[in-house]
């Protein structure tokens, strides 16, 4: 039974860190990139999605999977600058913070082009240590993730 559980957890972890790249559409469409945490021991996990276009961003962090008592913390930052945004999804499974639906769009640092890092972790409490993190560093050319 334990070996089976470990195999399922390893498969979920491999799936959890998989990245999704959505192709950019028209100039008004957002180029979106998603990263996930490694699942907790009880199969809770978190996701962070960064969507960029025309100088604006939406950054959404969600608590997913089985309730595990941890929050999801995500950070979007632009390499070589002090600009970053952090979101906490702390109200339980299937809750999110940020995103277009709650008007978190704001201005990105100029020039838009450059490397961005999206990092998402599980955390025990507001000031606890981050663990089971997933991250991606990707180049944004001003209209799409490369």
């Amino acid at each position: 039974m334990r070996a089976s559980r470990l195999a399922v957890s390893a498969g979920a972890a491999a799936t959890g860190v998989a990245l999704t790249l959505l192709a950019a559409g028209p100039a008004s469409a957002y180029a979106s990139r998603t990263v996930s945490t490694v699942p907790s021991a009880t199969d809770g996990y978190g996701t962070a999605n960064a969507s960029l276009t025309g100088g604006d961003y939406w950054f959404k962090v969600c608590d997913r999977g089985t309730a595990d008592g941890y929050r999801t913390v995500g950070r979007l930052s632009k390499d070589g600058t002090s600009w970053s945004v952090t979101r906490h999804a702390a109200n339980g499974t299937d809750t999110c913070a940020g995103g277009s639906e709650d008007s978190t769009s704001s201005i990105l640092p100029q020039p838009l082009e450059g490397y961005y890092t999206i990092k998402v972790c599980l955390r025990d409490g507001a000031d606890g240590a981050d663990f089971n993190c997933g991250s991606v560093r990707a180049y944004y050319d001003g209209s799409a993730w490369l």
Side-chain angles (χ1 to χ4, degrees):
M1 172 95 169
R2 182 172 180 178
S4 175
R5 170 92 170 112
L6 290 174
V8 170
S9 292
T15 301
V17 295
L19 304 176
T20 304
L21 176 61
L22 303 176
S28 63
Y30 277 79
S32 181
R33 193 82 187 237
T34 301
V35 65
S36 298
T37 69
V38 174
S40 69
T42 59
D43 294 327
Y45 67 98
T47 61
N49 178 271
S51 299
L52 312 177
T53 192
D56 290 335
Y57 74 89
W58 292 338
F59 186 55
K60 185 174 186 175
V61 175
C62 296
D63 187 358
R64 305 279 190 201
T66 305
D68 58 11
Y70 301 119
R71 68 178 55 209
T72 299
V73 179
R75 180 181 170 134
L76 171 65
S77 58
K78 185 175 183 196
D79 292 11
T81 71
S82 61
W83 184 88
S84 69
V85 60
T86 301
R87 302 267 186 261
H88 290 238
N91 292 322
T93 297
D94 292 329
T95 61
C96 298
S100 62
E101 60 277 359
D102 68 353
S103 302
T104 57
S105 184
S106 185
I107 300 299
L108 287 166
Q110 299 295 320
L112 295 178
E113 297 81 8
Y115 282 95
Y116 291 80
T117 300
I118 305 166
K119 183 175 182 180
V120 61
C121 301
L122 297 179
R123 184 183 288 179
D124 189 2
D127 298 318
D130 292 344
F131 64 98
N132 288 15
C133 299
S135 67
V136 64
R137 181 176 178 257
Y139 188 80
Y140 181 70
D141 73 356
S143 63
W145 292 104
L146 303 177

